[in-house]
Every structure is written in C-alpha cells, then in structure tokens.
Amino acid sequence: MKWLRRLVGLFLLLAVLVLAAGLALDAWIESSGGRRMVEQTLSEAAGLPVRLGGDFDVHLLPPGADGTEFLVLDEPTGAEFASSRAYDLELELLPLLRRELRVQRLRLEWLVLGEAGGPRFALPSVEVSDFAIGQPSRVAVDLGWLGAVDALVSWFPDDARVDFGLSWSAEGREDVGLDGVLEYAPEGLFLPEVSARIEGQRVRGSACFLTLGAPVAALDLEADSLDLEALEAVFPAGQGGAAALPFELNLRLEAGTLLRGDIRASDTLLEIGAPPDCSPAAGR
C-alpha cells in the first residue's frame, strides 16, 4: 500500500502548497497596493478611470475580490460616469500566481449610468465575462421586471464604438434579437446600423439617443412586412407609450406591407413626433 500512502502524501503536499500560495496572494492583493493594482487593471480594460471605494475584501475560492463601491469616471472631466453599490470580480489563477492581474469575470450590482445632474438610469445587475478590448465578451444584464439581456459585445475604445448582438427575454414573451453598431460621444448614443428580430419579423435602420438638453430618442426604420398584432403581443398596450416616456420620441417607420388582423396596407409610412434627426443640435 506504499503507492496509496505516496498518493495521499502528494495530495497533502499539493493542499499545503495551494494554501500557502493562497495566503501569499491574499496578503498581496489585500495590501494597500493591491486595491490600486486592481483599479489599474480595470481602468486599462475599460479605457476609462475606475475607482474602488468603500470596503475591499479578497476571496480565494474563486480568487478575486469584492467591495461596496465601483466608480467609472469620465477621463477629461473626472465626473462620475457610472457607479455600482457592490461588485465582485474573479481573477484568472495562473496569471495571478505570477503576480499578474487578469479579470475573468466582473459582476456589478445596481449599476447607475449617466452623469450627476443629467439623465440617469439604473440596472439591477450587469455581469461581464472574458473581457478583452476588441474581442467578443459575454455580457448579462438583469432588467428586473423587464426581463434580461444576454449579449456578445466587442468594444473598440479608440473608435468609441461597440459591436453587439443581443437577445432580450422576458417571461411569457418570445425573445427579441438586436444586432448593430453603437457609437458613443458626449452628445449621446448613436446606432448607425441596427437590426431587430421580433416575432419572426425583421426591422432595420438607424437610431440615436441624444442627451444634451432634453433627452431625445430618434429612430429611422424600415421593414418589408410587419404584423402589428404580433408586435403588440411583445409590447402590449397599457405598459407605457410615448406620453409616458421620460424623453421625446421621434419615429419614422416605412413598411412594404403592414398587417393588422384582416387589414392589409402597402407602402405604409408611420410617423410619431418630429422627423428623426440624429445631429447633436437636435438634442439641445
């Protein structure tokens, strides 16, 4: 039974080594410089300054850290761009043993987006996995009673651009797919290319959300065929409308065929609000 004793001894030795390495890593990350190194790693990954305030605690299984304040700052002004009241991050183990920090997963609780004094909105949770600039990363967003979003996102900070493909799911409704290119600037968010799949139907076009002055959402869309009753099953009446939105909605929709029950219309143009205008001056 020597082989069994040797095997048990080997496992014990490995356990001691893992424990010793864990304690060393814990002391290193927990040190005053550990928080700054995590901030630097996250800032380099995000392309924006990241600050970790409040509590900062290290966990070993899986290796990582969690805390109570996560801030993303606008680099030119230093203003708060996004904040989370709790975060949890996992670090890749092998780079960590070489005292290198690589974030494998980041989860943010109650993420608030937008600068103070301007339009802001909150998300119950956002989780990013396998993040790398210019490479596809998995993003999961909890929207509360509105459902959830699962997305594959590629971020190009030098171009202020995000390529994305996402699926929105909500209880009792068919999933909605959205693909496109998102560009961002101080004036707002711009979708020069966007395509949506809803109840087997496809809508394509461009859109923007302007945040200078009164917020404005502008959409210029087209579709070969649309069934309004099928769309109402996804976005039922009574759960909001243009009058209930906290921003101005300007919509232009062209449809080759528009259906509602037994009614069929050809070459239809639907307009809500003013003609869509995505020039920065439109949001002033």
Side-chain angles (χ1 to χ4, degrees):
M1 300 295 288
K2 289 183 179 180
W3 65 270
L4 181 57
R5 290 196 298 271
R6 289 175 180 174
L7 184 61
V8 172
L10 179 60
F11 280 128
L12 290 175
L13 177 60
L14 289 175
V16 170
L17 290 175
V18 169
L19 178 60
L23 293 175
L25 291 172
D26 180 48
W28 172 57
I29 300 176
E30 192 80 68
S31 67
S32 59
R35 184 190 300 228
R36 290 194 296 270
M37 292 190 67
V38 174
E39 287 179 340
Q40 181 179 353
T41 299
L42 293 171
S43 298
E44 291 173 354
L48 293 169
V50 174
R51 297 292 178 266
L52 304 178
D55 297 334
F56 180 80
D57 299 307
V58 173
H59 50 74
L60 298 179
L61 293 174
D66 57 75
T68 57
E69 186 179 61
F70 184 99
L71 302 175
V72 181
L73 309 179
D74 180 64
E75 194 164 20
T77 64
E80 181 182 307
F81 174 74
S83 65
S84 174
R85 65 188 182 190
Y87 64 89
D88 182 89
L89 59 91
E90 293 180 14
L91 301 171
E92 294 185 20
L93 180 58
L94 292 180
L96 190 58
L97 294 174
R98 300 191 298 267
R99 294 206 168 190
E100 299 174 4
L101 298 184
R102 293 185 187 175
V103 178
Q104 180 170 306
R105 183 190 66 88
L106 173 65
R107 180 179 177 84
L108 302 172
E109 299 287 346
W110 200 253
L111 177 64
V112 179
L113 301 174
E115 295 185 6
R120 310 187 81 187
F121 61 97
L123 302 171
S125 72
V126 175
E127 184 171 312
V128 182
S129 304
D130 301 320
F131 177 77
I133 289 178
Q135 300 296 324
S137 306
R138 181 69 61 184
V139 179
V141 182
D142 178 7
L143 299 175
W145 64 273
L146 289 173
V149 169
D150 184 55
L152 202 60
V153 174
S154 300
W155 186 24
F156 303 90
D158 290 343
D159 300 327
R161 186 185 98 239
V162 176
D163 297 350
F164 65 90
L166 63 83
S167 175
W168 169 54
S169 58
E171 186 176 356
R173 302 179 188 177
E174 186 173 323
D175 290 359
V176 174
L178 193 67
D179 301 277
V181 175
L182 171 68
E183 298 174 352
Y184 54 92
E187 297 82 12
L189 305 175
F190 301 86
L191 292 158
E193 303 173 24
V194 63
S195 174
R197 301 177 306 280
I198 308 170
E199 290 286 331
Q201 305 175 82
R202 183 176 292 273
V203 180
R204 57 193 176 274
S206 61
C208 63
F209 185 72
L210 305 176
T211 57
L212 289 180
V216 177
L219 301 91
D220 192 355
L221 307 172
E222 62 179 26
D224 296 329
S225 178
L226 282 182
D227 186 335
L228 294 182
E229 289 189 348
L231 293 180
E232 288 173 355
V234 180
F235 307 104
Q239 294 192 10
L245 296 174
F247 52 82
E248 178 184 342
L249 174 63
N250 299 325
L251 168 68
R252 181 177 183 271
L253 172 63
E254 288 187 76
T257 303
L258 197 64
L259 303 173
R260 186 181 182 88
D262 296 329
I263 301 175
R264 175 189 296 265
S266 301
D267 299 325
T268 303
L269 176 62
L270 174 65
E271 293 181 304
I272 297 176
D277 182 2
C278 284
S279 63
R284 295 183 182 275

